[in-house]
Amino acid sequence: MTHFDLNQSDLRSLQDKVVVLTGSVHRTSDGAQMLIFDQGGANGIGEATLELFNSRGAYVVFGDINSTAGEKVAAKYDSKRVHFLRIDVSKYEDIVALFRLALSEYGTVDHAFSIAGILEQENIFDPSLTIESVEQPPSLVVLDVNLKGTFYFTRVAAAYLHHNAKPTDDKSITFISSVAGFTGTPYIPAYVASKHGVLGLMRSLRTYLPSVFQIRINAICPHSTATAMIAALEPRFRKYGVGLNSPGDIASVILGVVAGRHKRRGQEGVGATGVEEAREPCNGLAIFVAEGRAYEIDEGLDRTQSEWLGEDAVDCIERSSLIWSPEELITNK
């Protein structure tokens, strides 16, 4: 696993860049709704990201389902630089409206962050399930918000970021997945499935979007973060000595993949040989963040694939990947 460090001197300017991001809704056990920007209230990842990018001179257009709380957050900032729109991320037309607002206000969109996410709303595999009760379908709102909403967001973002873009423009999309996106966390199967899907979407698009739309794409996979989403579980984390990320930790990593640079894929260990690492804008990275430290997880998986999968299987995958290359698909529509 490769450390991902934010080098402040390496960051590109975000002055007057236009950022679009989403928040989310948390449903309490009684079905009531309350705002959690991204995954945790007024101090969550979404607002921490808004604050950080605003401080670096970016324009920010953000959406959430709770108009009262969203407008309260927006009121903290210059109304010429921060705009709020009430949206439901599971509704395609709402995502379109959010990006349309950004384009109408600023004439372009540079970076987009899909941060909305909610936890399990019910036990889909409740032990009391019977052949009678199973006739009623479960709620799939977790998949609607976390996965379908991310698909919607990405499709719309690709069109708006590409619109009127020049070849030299830097454009990017960033997802929030989770540690549950690459582990089998028990008791929250819908959340785990949705976050695996988000990470899979990034992996599928990380060669396609840059070559076809000239857009970079990355995913952040936070371990538990001090937001309203896990507030009730904090005593358990303390009991077992597990430190929590702060929302600012995650916002800083988002800043890093948007404005920073990382060694080119396949360059692991180059610096140790005395050869200068080839560093470039971040693309296709899956960044795990735990206890305030960030790690790139896919480089290690790629590097050791022949060990855990076998050389013959890797060779088959590599040959098959040529069938799905952007060049092949575009040429042979």
Side-chain angles (χ1 to χ4, degrees):
M1 196 176 289
T2 305
H3 281 274
F4 180 84
D5 297 316
L6 181 62
N7 186 345
Q8 292 287 344
S9 64
D10 204 26
L11 294 178
R12 298 181 301 285
S13 174
L14 291 169
Q15 184 65 42
D16 295 336
K17 298 298 183 182
V18 180
V19 170
V20 172
L21 66 88
T22 62
S24 70
V25 168
H26 171 69
R27 285 177 172 79
T28 60
S29 58
D30 63 357
Q33 297 183 352
M34 66 179 180
L35 176 73
I36 57 168
F37 282 98
D38 64 279
Q39 301 172 58
N43 294 311
I45 297 169
E47 192 181 7
T49 303
L50 188 163
E51 181 179 359
L52 181 58
F53 277 76
N54 174 265
S55 72
R56 300 191 72 90
Y59 297 104
V60 181
V61 177
F62 72 103
D64 204 289
I65 202 166
N66 188 314
S67 57
T68 301
E71 289 165 1
K72 183 177 180 180
V73 170
K76 299 177 182 178
Y77 301 94
D78 183 345
S79 61
K80 295 180 180 179
R81 304 196 68 86
V82 174
H83 291 269
F84 168 74
L85 181 68
R86 183 197 182 279
I87 66 166
D88 178 343
V89 297
S90 67
K91 294 182 178 178
Y92 191 79
E93 61 272 21
D94 284 13
I95 300 295
V96 172
L98 184 67
F99 279 88
R100 188 187 297 126
L101 172 62
L103 186 66
S104 66
E105 289 291 335
Y106 303 118
T108 190
V109 180
D110 297 297
H111 304 288
F113 312 143
S114 179
I115 304 179
I118 59 174
L119 270 174
E120 225 77 358
Q121 305 302 296
E122 62 178 294
N123 186 351
I124 295 176
F125 300 96
D126 193 296
S128 65
L129 195 64
T130 67
I131 59 173
E132 290 79 27
S133 62
V134 80
E135 293 187 7
Q136 296 299 318
S139 168
L140 296 180
V141 65
V142 176
L143 300 182
D144 289 341
V145 171
N146 296 1
L147 186 54
K148 186 174 78 173
T150 302
F151 263 89
Y152 284 171
F153 183 90
T154 307
R155 186 172 192 263
V156 177
Y160 272 81
L161 269 64
H162 189 62
H163 179 69
N164 289 336
K166 300 185 289 292
T168 56
D169 288 346
D170 180 36
K171 306 283 185 172
S172 76
I173 297 172
T174 304
F175 297 155
I176 294 293
S177 179
S178 169
V179 61
F182 64 93
T183 65
T185 309
Y187 304 112
I188 49 172
Y191 183 79
V192 169
S194 69
K195 291 303 186 177
H196 270 71
V198 169
L199 192 54
L201 179 61
M202 185 281 291
R203 287 168 169 164
S204 178
L205 292 175
R206 65 184 168 195
T207 57
Y208 182 80
L209 281 185
S211 61
V212 177
F213 287 88
Q214 292 74 56
I215 297 170
R216 299 181 292 109
I217 187 166
N218 298 281
I220 315 301
C221 303
H223 198 274
S224 299
T225 303
T227 67
M229 179 179 275
I230 65 153
L233 299 175
E234 287 193 25
R236 298 188 195 177
F237 287 101
R238 289 195 297 270
K239 176 181 178 181
Y240 292 103
V242 179
L244 300 179
N245 298 310
S246 71
D249 291 332
I250 311 305
S252 292
V253 175
I254 294 174
L255 174 65
V257 299
V258 170
R261 296 181 184 276
H262 190 62
K263 61 175 169 288
R264 185 177 300 151
R265 299 182 72 84
Q267 292 290 308
E268 297 83 1
V270 170
T273 67
V275 179
E276 184 177 354
E277 292 179 338
R279 297 177 67 83
E280 56 188 17
C282 301
N283 178 65
L285 303 183
I287 309 293
F288 172 50
V289 188
E291 298 182 322
R293 296 183 293 275
Y295 312 85
E296 211 293 318
I297 63 176
D298 275 358
E299 288 178 341
L301 290 174
D302 293 345
R303 186 173 65 251
T304 61
Q305 193 174 49
S306 61
E307 299 175 21
W308 54 266
L309 189 58
E311 292 184 0
D312 289 345
V314 172
D315 178 66
C316 177
I317 291 173
E318 290 178 347
R319 284 183 282 113
S320 300
S321 68
L322 299 175
I323 299 170
W324 303 103
S325 67
E327 296 80 6
E328 188 72 23
L329 293 176
I330 293 170
T331 303
N332 299 285
K333 284 185 177 180

